Amino acid sequence: MHPTRPSRPGRLSARIAAAALALAVLLCFFAPMAQAQKGGFTFGALLPLTGPLADKGRTSEAALRLAETDIRDYLAASNSGESFSILVEDTGSDPQKALARLKRLAEKGVRVVIGPISDAETAAVEDFAASQGISLISQGSAAQYLAKKDDSLFRLSPSNTYQAEALTALIKQEGNTVMVPIWRGDAIGDELVVHAKARFRQLGGEAAAGARYDPDRTDYTAVVDELVRELEKLRAEKPSAKPAIVFVGGNEVVPVLKAAAKKPILASLPWYGSDASALNDAIAKDPESAAFAMRTRFTSPRYGEGGANVYTRIERRIAKETDLFPDTQSAAAYDAAWLGFLAVQSAQGTDAGALKRFIPLLAERTYGVTGWLALNEYGDRREDWDFDFWTLRKDGDTFFWEKIARYQFEPGMPKELYIGSPVK
C-alpha cells in the first residue's frame, strides 16, 4: 500500500557497491584489532520501555539486542576472546527518571550509553554524562538547541532543521502560499516552528503568527478559536492566499484535531504535522480525528526508511521480535551500538576524550543500516538522511497510514522531493 517511484538509474546500485566496499574495509581494518584485545565491554542504553514513548523504546531495545548478538558473533568469528553486552534501563519516557537511570549505569562503571531517544530526556542527562566521562550515542534526539561542539553527545537522527526543510518543501510544492502553525510551546516545538517559518520564507512563502499553546493545556478550544480568527483576518486581507495549517505537538494531536473538526474554516484547509504525528496510532484509532485527518489530508514527515536490503532485513527482524512497525530511529540504535563498539575497539577503552576523536572518525568511514553515519562539527548526523511523508487512508472501516512522498538527501547528490516514495 506504499506507492513508490524509482530513483534515478544507477543510483541504488552505486550506493550498494559503496556500502559493500566500506564494510569490507572496516572489517579488514578492525579484525586484527579485535583479535588483539582481550576482556570485554559493557554498554548502557536509556530507553522508554514504559510511558508515551514505549513503542519506540521496545523497537529500539529489539534493535540493540540484535546488535548485541551480531557483535558477539563477530567477536567469536574473529577469535578475539572479548565479550560484549548492553544493560538496558527504562526511562519511563520521563526526563528525570532518565537521569536517575543514567546515574545507576554510572555506578556500574558504564561509560558508553545508547540513547536517550527523546530531546527532553537527552537534555536532562547530558550534563551529568559529561561530568562522569560518559559518551552518549542517541538514535532519536534531533533538537538543534542540543547541538554543541566538543561535547560527548553524538546523534544519528537528522536535525530538526532538516525536518523543517523537508516539511516546508512539500508545503510549497503543493501550492500553499501561507504557513499557519499551531504548536506546543516547549523548547522542541518552538525551535521547529522557528526553523519552519524561516525556511518557508526562503522558499518565497509567508509565515503567519499562528497559535502557541502551553504544554500543560488539556482544552484546546481557545487555541483553535485563535487560529480561526487569524485565518479569517488573512482571508479578508489576502483573499488569494492559500494557507496551510502546520501542527507541531505530541500526543495532544487527537484532541486538537477533534476541536478543529468543529470549525468549518479549519476543515477546509490542508493540514500538515511533524514527526511526532507521523504514523500516530491514536489518530487512526479515534474515528472523529481520523475522519478529520483524511478530510484535510493531514500529512506528517518522519525520518525515512532505508531502501537497502540490509535495512529491510533489520526492520523485519525488529518487527518479528516486537510485532510493531519499527521506526527508522530503531535501526539507528542498531547503528549506534556498532559505531560505539568499533570506537571502543579503536580507542582500546571507553575514555571519553579518546572517543571524542574516534567516534567521528569511524562515523565518517562507516556505512550502517541507515546509511553513511558521517557527523558534523557538533557530533550530529551530517548527510545521507531522508524524510518520508505519511497520510491517513481508509480501507472499509479500517484506517491506515500510507507513505506518499519523500524528501531525499544523499552524499554528493542534490536534495530531491519525490511525490510517491522512491526506492533507494
Side-chain angles (χ1 to χ4, degrees):
M1 289 183 287
H2 297 169
T4 60
R5 174 179 172 182
S7 298
R8 291 181 293 187
R11 189 169 184 172
L12 178 59
S13 59
R15 286 170 58 85
I16 292 175
L21 177 61
L23 288 172
V25 170
L26 281 169
L27 291 177
C28 290
F29 181 76
F30 284 104
M33 190 174 296
Q35 292 171 354
Q37 292 293 309
K38 299 297 179 183
F41 297 102
T42 299
F43 286 9
L46 294 173
L47 304 178
L49 302 179
T50 55
L53 301 176
D55 283 356
K56 285 179 174 287
R58 286 177 58 197
T59 53
S60 273
E61 181 180 32
L64 290 178
R65 292 308 178 203
L66 293 174
E68 186 179 56
T69 298
D70 292 348
I71 290 170
R72 287 173 176 173
D73 288 347
Y74 166 71
L75 289 170
S78 63
N79 296 317
S80 70
E82 290 184 305
S83 64
F84 179 79
S85 61
I86 302 176
L87 299 179
V88 175
E89 292 285 352
D90 177 18
T91 68
S93 307
D94 177 78
Q96 292 310 307
K97 189 173 180 181
L99 177 58
R101 294 299 180 262
L102 181 60
K103 290 179 178 179
R104 179 185 294 180
L105 289 171
E107 290 172 356
K108 295 177 181 179
V110 173
R111 291 298 177 267
V112 177
V113 173
I114 311 301
I117 288 178
S118 75
D119 292 312
E121 291 172 325
T122 303
V125 306
E126 63 170 345
D127 286 345
F128 177 78
S131 71
Q132 299 298 307
I134 296 173
S135 299
L136 301 173
I137 310 177
S138 173
Q139 72 274 43
S141 174
Q144 186 62 26
Y145 76 89
L146 292 173
K148 302 170 185 175
K149 291 184 178 180
D150 198 37
D151 62 4
S152 292
L153 170 62
F154 306 92
R155 303 190 293 175
L156 299 187
S157 277
S159 165
N160 280 343
T161 59
Y162 298 141
Q163 181 182 169
E165 178 182 325
L167 177 61
T168 53
L170 183 65
I171 295 172
K172 184 67 174 177
Q173 173 67 28
E174 294 187 335
N176 304 292
T177 61
V178 183
M179 187 190 86
V180 186
I182 172 172
W183 77 99
R184 180 186 177 106
D186 57 15
I188 299 164
D190 290 343
E191 177 182 270
L192 185 52
V193 169
V194 165
H195 287 303
K197 284 184 175 183
R199 183 66 182 178
F200 197 63
R201 291 187 184 110
Q202 288 177 355
L203 295 175
E206 298 181 43
R212 181 180 187 269
Y213 58 86
D214 190 89
D216 296 327
R217 178 179 284 273
T218 56
D219 183 348
Y220 300 94
T221 303
V223 181
V224 167
D225 287 342
E226 182 182 349
L227 206 62
V228 168
R229 288 192 295 271
E230 183 164 24
L231 286 166
E232 289 174 340
K233 181 180 178 182
L234 177 64
R235 282 189 170 178
E237 296 177 350
K238 298 181 179 180
S240 63
K242 296 180 179 180
I245 309 299
V246 177
F247 169 77
V248 177
N251 290 333
E252 69 276 11
V253 61
V254 168
V256 168
L257 295 183
K258 291 172 77 169
K262 298 179 174 65
K263 307 295 181 179
I265 191 172
L266 296 180
S268 68
L269 298 174
W271 278 63
Y272 298 84
S274 63
D275 59 341
S277 50
L279 279 77
N280 190 300
D281 199 38
I283 300 173
K285 289 181 176 179
D286 182 83
E288 189 177 350
S289 62
F292 181 79
M294 284 196 64
R295 182 176 178 181
T296 59
R297 196 172 170 271
F298 185 62
T299 303
S300 302
R302 191 179 82 152
Y303 182 14
E305 301 169 284
N309 289 337
V310 64
Y311 182 94
T312 302
R313 289 198 297 270
I314 289 295
E315 184 179 58
R316 288 174 179 169
R317 290 171 71 188
I318 295 171
K320 182 179 179 180
E321 293 294 326
T322 63
D323 198 29
L324 293 170
F325 181 69
D327 59 13
T328 311
Q329 292 171 345
S330 302
Y334 180 91
D335 283 342
W338 270 100
L339 179 60
F341 164 72
L342 294 174
V344 297
Q345 285 282 354
S346 183
Q348 300 185 35
T350 58
D351 175 72
L355 292 181
K356 281 183 184 181
R357 299 190 301 274
F358 281 106
I359 289 177
L361 176 66
L362 292 167
E364 191 74 29
R365 292 159 172 78
T366 302
Y367 187 97
V369 169
T370 58
W372 293 109
L373 304 184
L375 305 174
N376 62 20
E377 65 270 29
Y378 303 105
D380 297 341
R381 191 154 198 150
R382 189 179 72 223
E383 54 194 359
D384 204 3
W385 48 260
D386 314 298
F387 281 91
D388 293 331
F389 290 90
W390 299 83
T391 195
L392 209 60
R393 298 284 192 245
K394 190 176 184 181
D395 183 9
D397 294 328
T398 303
F399 292 98
F400 63 93
W401 292 97
E402 182 175 70
K403 189 193 305 182
I404 63 165
R406 162 169 283 184
Y407 188 75
Q408 186 164 287
F409 177 45
E410 298 178 14
M413 305 297 292
K415 298 174 184 178
E416 296 177 280
L417 176 64
Y418 292 89
I419 306 301
S421 174
V423 176
K424 294 185 72 179

